[in-house]
Amino acid sequence: MTHHIQYERLLPSAPGTSRTVGIHRFGVPGALPKIYLQGALHADELPGAYILHHLIERLRKADRAGAIKGEIVVVPLANPIGLAQRIQAIHAGRSDLGLGGNFNRNYADLSAPLHEHLGRFAPEAISEETVRAFLRLEVEAITQKTELDSLKKTLLALAIDADYVFDLHCDDEAPVYVYLSDENHPQAVSLTRDLGARAAIAGTSEMATFKDACARPWQIASRIAGRPLHGCLAATIEYRGTRDVNEETAQSDAKRLYAFMQRVKILDGEPEPLPPAFSPITPLAGVEHLQADRPGIIVFRRQPGEQIAAGETVAEIVDPVSGDRSLIKTFAGGVFFGHVATRLAVPGSTIASLAGIAPRMQTGEEAYP
Ligand SMILES: [Zn+2]
């Protein structure tokens, strides 16, 4: 059997204390394909962590049966710093309460050093292994001063040479949806179908999210090699809303992830037939964020998961003092994939998001989960 749990110690933030990251490892190190999965990078988003608990149970069985062919690394709780951030009984796990900001931003961009490195090779001599070996060394060389630096470096080191990187998050209130690094990856469509994603949004942003940090070097490598090097399909998977931790969906989601891993030959065994697609893959630039135009109470008129046509009303904002009502309508429409948990409208804040077919606007910092 290959399964073991490893604990990686972070740099201390206070004298005499330190935190660790718990890592489940399956398969022979270096075996391909490699998959890396992590949960609760935004530490108050726990549905993914519970799905990974069930996935680990399934993988332990597969390991006993000798069915693991590739390498599998699972970190169910990726953010021990954020897990400890409670303010008067409220868990605030999305952003570092120190100076680090959003936990899913500003990962090291290894594209520039990779670009320089690959410039020394003839394009036909650039292989997936050339890229992987360089990325491993570059992550090792990242300097770290703070506990948060060491967390980011630890997670990136586990993921950077993987063929598949799945970062499990959730929205406030939403169906399952996914941000993909690359819609042209041969497994992109089957992943969205295996996940049962109601929306699938493809592209990399300028925010250097964990997904972007893992995928972006491969885009550079493909450009220099002059052919697609599908080294990493990275996905930020949004598993419904923050309160959607339940037994039935977690079991089902773990089963779906397991089927995908069979489909791409990380695991032995015949996967279940590919489920139907709910939505085409749409561009990140086609995401429409609906914003509050006045202060008031938000009353949603439509449900996340629904298809909304151009110009339809998604919500109303009601000011009970003046009696004014405002209709919040879509511009181009698309799949309504999530809305905020609060019902207090603050002018200018995003209250709902839709995935549309046509590129029309940039994704805002505030609205990206
Ligand atoms: Zn998140």
Side-chain angles (χ1 to χ4, degrees):
M1 291 206 292
T2 62
H3 175 240
H4 62 282
I5 306 174
Q6 170 194 343
Y7 292 93
E8 199 69 36
R9 190 168 293 283
L10 303 183
L11 290 179
S13 63
T17 74
S18 63
R19 292 185 238 263
T20 57
V21 178
I23 303 153
H24 288 257
R25 287 184 176 276
F26 299 86
V28 177
L32 296 175
K34 175 180 174 181
I35 187 168
Y36 171 78
L37 303 105
Q38 70 180 18
L41 179 60
H42 286 144
D44 48 3
E45 299 176 2
L46 294 172
Y50 194 51
I51 293 164
L52 291 179
H53 161 73
H54 283 295
L55 181 66
I56 288 166
E57 293 300 302
R58 284 178 174 270
L59 293 174
R60 293 178 83 145
K61 273 188 204 153
D63 189 32
R64 287 194 288 274
I68 294 175
K69 300 301 171 196
E71 184 181 3
I72 303 166
V73 180
V74 187
V75 180
L77 290 168
N79 184 356
I81 302 170
L83 278 178
Q85 293 187 162
R86 293 183 301 276
I87 307 163
Q88 297 189 345
I90 294 172
H91 186 191
R94 181 177 171 83
S95 294
D96 180 29
L97 293 181
L99 299 171
N102 187 321
F103 284 114
N104 193 23
R105 299 289 186 277
N106 302 318
Y107 284 81
D109 182 3
L110 306 178
S111 306
L114 180 69
H115 190 283
E116 193 183 326
H117 177 69
L118 294 181
R120 300 180 196 130
F121 292 80
E124 61 276 12
I126 298 170
S127 70
E128 275 87 354
E129 197 40 52
T130 318
V131 178
R132 277 198 194 94
F134 180 77
L135 293 176
R136 286 187 203 111
L137 287 174
E138 279 298 298
V139 174
E140 276 306 303
I142 293 173
T143 54
Q144 43 183 8
K145 286 184 185 166
T146 68
E147 185 183 36
L148 181 58
D149 292 342
S150 70
L151 176 66
K152 287 181 168 179
K153 180 174 173 173
T154 297
L155 301 178
L156 205 53
L158 293 167
I160 199 66
D161 57 357
D163 299 275
Y164 302 97
V165 172
F166 296 170
D167 189 13
L168 278 57
H169 288 245
C170 68
D171 204 320
D172 283 354
E173 292 180 40
V176 177
Y177 67 95
V178 60
Y179 292 99
L180 296 167
S181 58
D182 176 9
E183 75 270 34
N184 296 316
H185 190 285
Q187 302 299 336
V189 171
S190 62
L191 175 62
T192 65
R193 291 174 63 173
D194 270 323
L195 294 174
R198 293 303 195 268
I201 302 155
T204 50
S205 72
E206 297 302 315
M207 293 180 278
T209 64
F210 191 77
K211 169 188 83 88
D212 297 333
C214 294
R216 193 170 284 244
W218 290 97
Q219 296 171 349
I220 300 293
S222 295
R223 208 175 302 155
I224 297 173
R227 64 187 193 282
L229 295 174
H230 291 303
C232 176
L233 176 62
T236 305
I237 308 172
E238 305 287 345
Y239 275 112
R240 307 181 186 83
T242 39
R243 290 179 297 175
D244 293 323
V245 176
N246 78 66
E247 193 61 32
E248 199 178 318
T249 52
Q251 291 269 14
S252 163
D253 292 329
K255 196 173 159 192
R256 285 167 172 271
L257 287 170
Y258 192 94
F260 177 80
M261 290 160 73
Q262 287 178 311
R263 221 175 294 289
V264 299
K265 312 288 184 210
I266 295 167
L267 293 169
D268 232 352
E270 192 59 35
E272 294 191 0
L274 198 58
F278 286 104
S279 166
I281 296 176
T282 56
L284 187 58
V287 170
E288 185 178 348
H289 297 298
L290 304 182
Q291 289 165 346
D293 62 351
R294 66 191 64 205
I297 299 168
I298 307 166
V299 184
F300 287 104
R301 296 300 184 204
R302 304 293 293 269
Q303 296 294 319
E306 287 186 66
Q307 181 78 39
I308 315 281
E312 283 191 332
T313 298
V314 173
E316 283 185 64
I317 295 180
V318 180
D319 176 348
V321 179
S322 66
D324 288 348
R325 304 173 79 95
S326 167
L327 301 180
I328 305 298
K329 298 179 177 183
T330 65
F331 173 70
V335 178
F336 178 17
F337 66 79
H339 68 58
V340 289
T342 183
R343 296 300 187 265
L344 178 67
V346 177
S349 64
T350 293
I351 62 168
S353 301
L354 295 91
I357 301 287
R360 52 180 167 265
M361 62 181 286
Q362 294 300 310
T363 300
E365 162 76 13
E366 187 186 354
Y368 191 88

